[in-house]
Structure formats: structure tokens, C-alpha cells
């Protein structure tokens, strides 16, 4: 019971932070702003977080740890279509479940360091996408590195667009990503009407 109440209060604080972040630059958000929006007192806030940066770091770490845990489950040399699709679906589910926080953090009022952390995760995700198609890149050439960076930054753009467009299911997004990787950008664009 107490654990549920604690989690509920933490969620209430994080939701308040997200609401404020959608309209106010992260550097200007105060603890008072958060406690007013969450309808709690300062003591309650400090029971859960040291300051707003602790709140941000804990939420970021929670999301990134979940994606890393998923990667560890599926990281082996025998990636199958089924295991890769499960891996990708689980990663996209984590992102979807945290869409309001991620969108706010990578939005105009957010924090560029979080975007950098997401890019690092997307790089790993890109390598696993490529691995699924039978190409293992342990020591990329400059051309491979540029291609991986192109894919990584493209995936971040895909995630941003997807998180803002809830009409696209995880399965549809997975198929779009497959099409782009397998068929190329020009073929995917020209064949989608």
C-alpha cells in the first residue's frame, strides 16, 4: 500500500514537471512551480527528489535502464526475425509508455543532454537493426560510421514524429523502419501512397 502511494506521488510530481516543461524552459522551472502544479508541499517533493535535476536524472535513468535491459535480453549472435521484432517492440513500448516525458525533454524547452543520451541508445538500436539484416559491424569504416549516424539520427526523428502521432501503432512503426532499412528511403517514399 505504502509503495503504491509512493509511486503515485512520484508520478504526480513527474507529471507536474512535464506539464510545466511543455510551456516553460527547463532552466527556469523551480521546485515551487512543480509543487504548485502537483498540489503537494515542498517536503513531499524532497522526500522523493533532491532537486529538479535529481528528478530528471532518475526518470532518464529509468527509461534508459529499461531499454538497456531489453537489449541485454536479446543481444546474441543468433538474432532471429522473431527475437528482433520482440526486442524492437519492447523498446518502442518503453518509449511509448514514457512518451510525454521524452517529448517534453527533447522538445524546445527540454534538455539537449537527454537527446544525446537517446542518440546513444538509438545508435545501439541501429546496429541491432543492421545485425537483423545479417550485417555485423564491429569496427565500422568511415562510410559505415556515417551510414550508422544517418540511421541513428533518422531513427531519433522517427521516434519524435511517432511520439507526436499516436495514430501509428508499434507494429506499423516497426514495418516502416524495416521498409526504410531494407528498401531504402526513396523506394519507401515512392511506394507509400
Amino acid at each position: 500500500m505504502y509503495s503504491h502511494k509512493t509511486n503515485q506521488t512520484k508520478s504526480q510530481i513527474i507529471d507536474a514537471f512535464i506539464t510545466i516543461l511543455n510551456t516553460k524552459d527547463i532552466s527556469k522551472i523551480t521546485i515551487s512551480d512543480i509543487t504548485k502544479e502537483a498540489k503537494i508541499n515542498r517536503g513531499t517533493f524532497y522526500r522523493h527528489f533532491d532537486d529538479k535535476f535529481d528528478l530528471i536524472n532518475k526518470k532518464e535513468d529509468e527509461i534508459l535502464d529499461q531499454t538497456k535491459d531489453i537489449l541485454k535480453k536479446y543481444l546474441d549472435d543468433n538474432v532471429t526475425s522473431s527475437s528482433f521484432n520482440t526486442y524492437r517492440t519492447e523498446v518502442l513500448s518503453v518509449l511509448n509508455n514514457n512518451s510525454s516525458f521524452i517529448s517534453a525533454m527533447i522538445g524546445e524547452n527540454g534538455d539537449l543532454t537527454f537527446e544525446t543520451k537517446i542518440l546513444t541508445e538509438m545508435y545501439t538500436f541501429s546496429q541491432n537493426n543492421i545485425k537483423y539484416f545479417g550485417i555485423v559491424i564491429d569496427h565500422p569504416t568511415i562510410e559505415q560510421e556515417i551510414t550508422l549516424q544517418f540511421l541513428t539520427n533518422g531513427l531519433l526523428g522517427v521516434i519524435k514524429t511517432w511520439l507526436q502521432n499516436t495514430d501509428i501503432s508499434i507494429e506499423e512503426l516497426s514495418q516502416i523502419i524495416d521498409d526504410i532499412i531494407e528498401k531504402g528511403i526513396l523506394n519507401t517514399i515512392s511506394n507509400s501512397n
Side-chain angles (χ1 to χ4, degrees):
M1 176 83 170
Y2 180 75
S3 172
H4 174 70
K5 179 77 170 146
T6 299
N7 290 335
Q8 190 175 14
T9 304
K10 278 185 182 178
S11 293
Q12 185 178 344
I13 294 168
I14 292 168
D15 290 346
F17 172 76
I18 293 166
T19 298
I20 298 164
L21 185 57
N22 284 317
T23 59
K24 190 173 187 178
D25 189 86
I26 197 167
S27 64
K28 295 181 176 147
I29 296 175
T30 65
I31 301 303
S32 292
D33 293 333
I34 298 168
T35 56
K36 283 178 192 169
E37 181 68 31
K39 296 175 179 54
I40 59 168
N41 62 45
R42 291 175 74 84
T44 301
F45 178 90
Y46 288 118
R47 236 179 280 132
H48 299 283
F49 304 104
D50 296 335
D51 53 30
K52 73 177 176 184
F53 301 107
D54 184 44
L55 180 155
I56 293 166
N57 288 332
K58 283 180 178 170
K59 186 63 181 171
E60 287 177 353
D61 289 347
E62 174 189 317
I63 295 166
L64 296 173
D65 288 347
Q66 287 175 3
T67 60
K68 287 174 187 171
D69 288 346
I70 293 166
L71 177 61
K72 285 178 194 168
K73 276 194 323 193
Y74 295 99
L75 194 58
D76 63 29
D77 294 329
N78 301 314
V79 179
T80 65
S81 174
S82 174
S83 68
F84 182 73
N85 287 332
T86 303
Y87 157 73
R88 184 171 44 201
T89 299
E90 287 184 27
V91 169
L92 291 173
S93 292
V94 168
L95 299 178
N96 190 43
N97 292 340
N98 294 283
S99 63
S100 58
F101 179 81
I102 294 169
S103 294
M105 288 297 289
I106 61 179
E108 65 182 71
N109 296 321
D111 180 14
L112 288 177
T113 59
F114 182 62
E115 189 164 320
T116 302
K117 291 176 186 176
I118 292 288
L119 277 171
T120 301
E121 290 304 307
M122 290 293 108
Y123 187 87
T124 303
F125 189 74
S126 296
Q127 285 181 309
N128 282 298
N129 270 303
I130 298 297
K131 187 177 180 181
Y132 164 66
F133 290 102
I135 303 167
V136 178
I137 304 173
D138 290 325
H139 305 289
T141 64
I142 189 65
E143 292 86 0
Q144 289 172 328
E145 181 62 28
I146 289 169
T147 304
L148 281 170
Q149 291 297 335
F150 184 83
L151 180 57
T152 298
N153 284 279
L155 279 171
L156 181 61
V158 167
I159 297 301
K160 283 180 177 180
T161 302
W162 175 59
L163 293 176
Q164 295 169 354
N165 186 351
T166 57
D167 294 342
I168 301 171
S169 72
I170 290 172
E171 292 75 21
E172 290 170 313
L173 183 64
S174 290
Q175 187 58 56
I176 292 168
I177 292 169
D178 274 356
D179 289 346
I180 292 168
I181 293 170
E182 196 169 6
K183 299 174 186 172
I185 294 169
L186 296 177
N187 282 335
T188 302
I189 287 175
S190 66
N191 290 328
S192 42
N193 294 323

